[in-house]
Amino acid sequence: AILTCPLEVVKTRLQSSSVTLYISEVQLNTMAGASVNRVVSPGPLHCLKAILEKEGPRSLFRGLGPNLVGVAPSRAIYFAAYSNCKEKLNGVFDPDSTQVHMASAAMAAWTASWT
């Protein structure tokens, strides 16, 4: 969550941005003076640069606190469920077999999805 937070901020800004850049294209008819403008969305690097220049590096970690509050309990439930399922399934299947790991992971993911 900490490593991907800046990417999430940039992604969210790009998704919610109403800012468009107008880049002048080659003129269609130089005699008449007509030109064509096309709308170009700002790219991720442009957005990252703008955030750093206008708001500073700390702004790339906005929303990290609430994200961690949600991720930490979910991961704790996942690992607890995985461990418990694995312990119980080791008595049913060959201990530490592929079946034990796959079934434990599936049950843990299902359990964690309820949080």
Side-chain angles (χ1 to χ4, degrees):
I2 293 170
L3 294 176
T4 60
C5 189
L7 298 174
E8 291 292 329
V9 169
V10 170
K11 179 191 75 151
T12 303
R13 295 285 179 92
L14 286 171
Q15 288 174 337
S16 64
S17 176
S18 61
V19 175
T20 55
L21 301 176
Y22 292 95
I23 298 177
S24 180
E25 286 291 317
V26 177
Q27 293 180 351
L28 285 177
N29 185 350
T30 56
M31 297 296 245
S35 66
V36 174
N37 290 330
R38 77 179 161 113
V39 177
V40 177
S41 297
L45 292 177
H46 180 268
C47 185
L48 176 65
K49 182 180 173 187
I51 292 171
L52 288 172
E53 286 176 355
K54 294 177 184 175
E55 303 171 42
R58 289 186 66 192
S59 65
L60 291 175
F61 294 94
R62 286 194 176 156
L64 179 60
N67 192 358
L68 290 178
V69 167
V71 168
S74 176
R75 292 291 127 205
I77 291 168
Y78 176 86
F79 284 114
Y82 178 81
S83 178
N84 288 335
C85 288
K86 186 177 162 191
E87 186 177 303
K88 289 184 182 2
L89 292 175
N90 272 333
V92 177
F93 299 109
D94 292 332
D96 288 328
S97 65
T98 303
Q99 292 87 1
V100 169
H101 291 289
M102 295 296 286
S104 298
M107 287 300 293
W110 180 78
T111 304
S113 71
W114 289 91
T115 60

